[in-house]
Amino acid sequence: AVWERSVAFYEEIREKHGQDDTVLVVTHGGVLACIIPYLRGFSITDPYVQAKNTSVSIYGIDSSGLAQEKLVNCVAHLL
């Protein structure tokens, strides 16, 4: 259920905002553990992604609507 809700949330945001919009999403690790694999093209049955506490991930959306990873699971701000 978390996978489906997380993916639906992402798709809703992607549909509401244009390619040039900046959108900030703040969430917990469970949602990130669903959204990051989804953006990478994996399904719910693929290996789990461990989202690090307080990590920052940045994605861009290209003209075809595909997510482009710019920064994933970064915790450099903690150093």
Side-chain angles (χ1 to χ4, degrees):
V2 174
W3 175 274
E4 290 83 6
R5 288 193 312 269
S6 299
V7 168
F9 169 74
Y10 165 75
E11 289 296 336
E12 180 181 334
I13 288 184
R14 189 176 63 85
E15 290 171 9
K16 285 183 179 179
H17 296 278
Q19 183 181 356
D20 295 326
D21 289 349
T22 299
V23 178
L24 172 67
V25 175
V26 179
T27 188
H28 59 82
V31 173
L32 290 176
C34 297
I35 291 177
I36 290 173
Y38 177 74
L39 294 177
R40 291 178 171 174
F42 300 136
S43 72
I44 192 170
T45 59
D46 289 317
Y48 177 76
V49 171
Q50 180 66 43
K52 297 175 184 172
N53 286 336
T54 75
S55 66
V56 175
S57 296
I58 300 173
Y59 284 85
I61 306 298
D62 68 18
S63 59
S64 66
L66 296 175
Q68 304 296 316
E69 289 184 352
K70 296 182 179 200
L71 184 68
V72 179
N73 244 346
C74 179
V75 291
H77 59 281
L78 298 177
L79 302 176

